[in-house]
Amino acid sequence: MSARLLTGSIIFAFLITLATPALAEIPVQTYTIDGEDSFQVAGHAVRTDIVYAGTQRLAIQRQGKVTRFTATVTYDRHEGGAATHSTGAFSTKILANGEQHDESDGDPDYLTILNQPFSIELDAPTLRDLRSLVRAVPFDFPSPMTGAPLHGSLRRLPDGTLNGRRVLGIAFAARGPLNGSLPDRPDMALSGTITMNGTAYYAYADALLLALDATLQIEGRVANSGQSDPVTIVYKRTIRPQTP
């Protein structure tokens, strides 16, 4: 789920990348990660479930006007009664003009904090504008898996505290069409809809993304041996700052 969510409309058009390096130096941040994928074809008794659990480390390196983020994750992958120990990595950089560019993607299970719908860091004006939100605002952004447009709304959540750090919360919900295959199922032609929803929390002190809950659900039909079977696919990810 690598497409960044806050590609807002109206006054939030500037939230496409949500990042600038003009903030104080950020130390290495560690997270816990939990996830679950499910795949169910209607009328079929067999359902595929994959469960993930692990930890990850986010390193931030500032070089002049460029900030580079590198996330490495170590986790256990449970599927069908079998467990596999795996690792993954993802890196991205943010330029002085706020543009964010993904550099390398070694995260096939979408578990790193950098491979999620929200940008890893907010700039000061964006943080200030999000803080002043009093009602939901519309936004459009590309689907993380297909690139098709999703339409939804973004709203402010009450402030909270995570591991002693004051955080700003935001929630999102969006929906759009799906026509084509998915990266993890390239041999399967799907048509239907994608629904995304979740919450994210940014630290006020350094504008870093500290926590995320994201669910992507696909409801559609898949061509199978000349028939069109209803299918439901769900991806869930929960990322939290690791307790010191």
Side-chain angles (χ1 to χ4, degrees):
M1 296 188 286
S2 60
R4 304 301 182 269
L5 179 81
L6 293 175
T7 55
S9 55
I10 310 177
I11 65 171
F12 286 92
F14 64 91
L15 298 184
I16 294 176
T17 58
L18 299 179
T20 187
L23 296 173
E25 196 69 23
I26 305 174
V28 170
Q29 176 67 51
T30 56
Y31 301 89
T32 59
I33 172 71
D34 294 285
E36 182 177 358
D37 301 341
S38 65
F39 178 85
Q40 176 72 59
V41 178
H44 292 242
V46 178
R47 166 175 162 159
T48 300
D49 287 286
I50 306 173
V51 177
Y52 310 93
T55 60
Q56 65 179 286
R57 177 181 184 273
L58 176 69
I60 303 102
Q61 183 180 15
R62 303 189 187 277
Q63 299 174 322
K65 296 183 178 181
V66 177
T67 305
R68 180 169 283 101
F69 298 87
T70 303
T72 54
V73 60
T74 302
Y75 59 99
D76 292 321
R77 186 180 192 272
H78 299 267
E79 180 179 5
T84 305
H85 189 69
S86 304
T87 60
F90 197 101
S91 66
T92 190
K93 66 179 179 182
I94 298 176
L95 307 181
N97 61 3
E99 292 182 3
Q100 182 165 323
H101 299 277
D102 294 337
E103 292 189 303
S104 63
D105 181 358
D107 180 24
D109 291 321
Y110 306 100
L111 295 175
T112 65
I113 191 75
L114 298 175
N115 202 8
Q116 304 301 323
F118 278 91
S119 181
I120 188 60
E121 186 181 73
L122 302 181
D123 62 18
T126 300
L127 187 67
R128 182 175 60 249
D129 288 336
L130 286 173
R131 187 177 182 180
S132 66
L133 273 183
V134 294
R135 62 179 61 88
V137 294
F139 68 85
D140 298 332
F141 74 104
S143 163
M145 292 184 171
T146 66
L150 300 183
H151 310 284
S153 62
L154 179 76
R155 62 186 175 87
R156 169 83 184 279
L157 295 174
D159 289 350
T161 302
L162 288 172
N163 287 357
R165 302 175 70 181
R166 186 164 168 259
V167 293
L168 175 145
I170 48 180
F172 68 93
R175 185 180 178 89
L178 167 66
N179 290 286
S181 60
L182 302 177
D184 57 347
R185 300 179 184 273
D187 57 340
M188 183 178 295
L190 290 166
S191 62
T193 59
I194 294 180
T195 302
M196 286 191 65
N197 60 78
T199 60
Y201 288 89
Y202 286 88
Y204 274 106
D206 53 24
L208 188 71
L209 178 59
L210 279 189
L212 175 77
D213 286 282
T215 299
L216 185 152
Q217 180 166 325
I218 296 170
E219 297 282 353
R221 306 187 74 87
V222 58
N224 184 18
S225 302
Q227 299 180 349
S228 181
D229 296 326
V231 63
T232 300
I233 304 173
V234 179
Y235 301 88
K236 295 182 179 180
R237 297 293 181 266
T238 300
I239 299 176
R240 292 287 183 270
Q242 196 169 33
T243 302

